[in-house]
Amino acid sequence: MASAQRRPAQTARYEIVDLFAGPGGLDVAAHWLGIPVQGVEWDDDAYETRLAAGLSTVHGDVRDFGPSDFPHANVLAGGPPCQTYTVAGAGSGRRALNDVLSYVKQMAAGIDVTPSAAAFEDERTGLVLQPLRWIVESYKAGIPYEAVILEQVPAVLPVWEAMAEALEGFGYKTACGVLRSEEYGVPQTRRRAVLVANREFTPTLPTPTHRSYRKGLTRIEGQSALHECATMRDALAHLPSGNIRGEFEVVSNYGSGGDPRARGRRRSSEPSATVTGKISRNRIVDLNGVEQQRFTTYEAGLLQTFPYDFPWSGRAISQQIGNAIPPRLGVHVLASALGLDLDPREFDVAVQECWSHSKHGVLQVSTGQ
């Protein structure tokens, strides 16, 4: 049941506008919950995927739009580009963090910082401020969003914390922190900084359903009641043919649970390392060290918990897959922000459903009392 402080919520009352929508990770999550969503996406390749998947999309730059262009949306979501903040990138966003935090405070005070924010070393750094611009504009227009969901790489957590403080000044209750995707049934270790806000109740970050992953540890104190981590083997079993690879090992450029001695190697009986835009470069070997075919597009999508036949289109498909929020994690975050209970047992059914008929995979949700 939902917390007593949460009011009943019906998914039908919500409509989401998703900034930086990418190929549709959050859209798939919203679809499973029965919530309409319209995405804004400028990248041509991601847009092609969205068209093929039948996802409602405005093809353009979020900087050219605002709340008035989406008058029916009462929930704002967004996952701004992470390249300048991620530890795998050059780090210009991390170096500019103090400036970004200063702009958040100025925007919360009603100051237009658009000209200054455009002068970052990499223009993508300033895009993290766009959701706040939309929130401020909707508040000033007297039709504030009922809920807000933002996600990014962990390095952006200080920005989300500053935005949470700003949102509280606009009448929101907030929660933010870093989530570990494997703790929500995603067969992948991926950490994301998340901010959820609601005007009606105080949201909490979603409660883990699965154990966290630690290389070499089978039991973690305090997690005995949780499900075991989902594994790569589990994910590939969703293919119509099942997991025909058998047991294998993935060799990637990502570490394994923080243990440098095991860096870059995960067995199929473990969760995948973070799925990035370079997943197509990861080597796969059987347990005798014999090279296998690398992950197909659909296998990589399953590691992100997309339906097995999601219609990836356009170019740079590996990058599209790596950039997306895992839909399974997205469902948990949406449910937290909107006050919904859900039955996690329905996730596997939803992932197994053919996307073209995926209306049958809508998750069962409860409003709680």
Side-chain angles (χ1 to χ4, degrees):
M1 295 296 291
S3 168
Q5 67 182 341
R6 296 184 178 186
R7 300 181 182 180
Q10 298 289 342
T11 56
R13 65 178 276 200
Y14 295 116
E15 185 168 329
I16 301 171
V17 57
D18 184 16
L19 312 184
F20 315 102
L26 193 75
D27 300 66
V28 172
H31 178 87
W32 286 345
L33 290 171
I35 304 173
V37 56
Q38 188 165 20
V40 182
E41 178 54 48
W42 73 273
D43 180 74
D44 293 339
D45 298 322
Y47 179 66
E48 281 195 42
T49 293
R50 295 181 64 85
L51 285 181
L55 301 175
S56 179
T57 311
V58 171
H59 190 193
D61 190 325
V62 300
R63 291 172 291 190
D64 296 332
F65 300 96
S68 61
D69 298 302
F70 301 86
H72 301 297
N74 55 7
V75 176
L76 178 76
C82 68
Q83 290 88 342
T84 68
Y85 294 95
T86 179
V87 294
S92 61
R94 299 194 304 277
R95 291 192 296 272
L97 186 58
N98 287 338
D99 289 336
V100 172
L101 295 177
S102 175
Y103 289 147
V104 169
K105 290 184 177 181
Q106 293 177 65
M107 292 172 70
I111 301 172
D112 181 7
V113 301
T114 303
S116 299
F120 283 114
E121 177 183 346
D122 188 316
E123 68 172 358
R124 293 174 296 182
T125 297
L127 293 176
V128 76
L129 298 167
Q130 284 299 311
L132 183 56
R133 175 179 71 82
W134 284 58
I135 293 165
V136 171
E137 287 186 10
S138 70
Y139 180 79
K140 287 182 175 179
I143 47 173
Y145 293 107
E146 294 184 31
V148 175
I149 302 103
L150 302 177
E151 62 89 22
Q152 247 273 18
V153 294
V156 176
L157 182 60
V159 181
W160 290 167
E161 292 172 336
M163 284 195 184
E165 183 177 349
L167 265 60
E168 288 165 6
F170 298 140
Y172 290 90
K173 292 86 172 176
T174 66
C176 58
V178 175
L179 304 182
R180 302 171 64 101
S181 63
E182 82 273 15
E183 292 186 345
Y184 302 94
V186 179
Q188 171 193 169
T189 53
R190 184 187 194 97
R191 298 171 68 242
R192 302 301 287 182
V194 169
L195 164 64
V196 292
N198 196 292
R199 296 184 64 81
E200 293 188 358
F201 62 85
T202 301
T204 58
L205 295 181
T207 301
T209 55
H210 291 65
R211 298 175 189 175
S212 54
Y213 171 78
R214 297 289 188 279
K215 185 71 175 179
L217 294 180
T218 57
R219 294 186 179 181
I220 298 176
E221 186 176 353
Q223 297 191 349
S224 59
L226 301 179
H227 297 291
E228 295 282 355
C229 288
T231 68
M232 289 184 276
R233 181 173 56 203
D234 298 332
L236 301 192
H238 289 302
L239 291 167
S241 58
N243 175 19
I244 62 174
R245 287 182 177 272
E247 299 299 315
F248 59 87
E249 188 174 53
V250 179
V251 184
S252 75
N253 63 340
Y254 262 74
S256 293
D259 183 353
R261 295 169 297 179
R263 182 167 180 79
R265 288 184 177 268
R266 296 276 179 94
R267 288 201 170 190
S268 53
S269 57
E270 300 173 285
S272 168
T274 302
V275 172
T276 72
K278 297 179 181 179
I279 188 170
S280 61
R281 303 182 189 179
N282 291 349
R283 293 174 50 228
I284 302 176
V285 297
D286 67 20
L287 298 191
N288 294 316
V290 177
E291 295 280 342
Q292 294 189 353
Q293 177 187 358
R294 299 189 179 187
F295 283 129
T296 67
T297 293
Y298 300 104
E299 289 175 323
L302 281 170
L303 296 180
Q304 283 276 58
T305 66
F306 279 86
Y308 74 85
D309 65 339
F310 194 71
W312 302 100
S313 303
R315 301 168 299 175
I317 290 177
S318 292
Q319 193 66 51
Q320 291 183 52
I321 295 172
N323 286 348
I325 182 174
R328 183 161 184 154
L329 178 61
V331 167
H332 281 280
V333 174
L334 283 171
S336 173
L338 303 180
L340 304 172
D341 288 333
L342 48 86
D343 184 352
R345 292 173 298 181
E346 295 290 323
F347 281 112
D348 289 339
V349 174
V351 174
Q352 285 179 297
E353 286 287 341
C354 177
W355 177 248
S356 62
H357 300 94
S358 59
K359 62 182 179 181
H360 302 299
V362 173
L363 294 175
Q364 299 299 309
V365 298
S366 170
T367 61
Q369 297 293 335

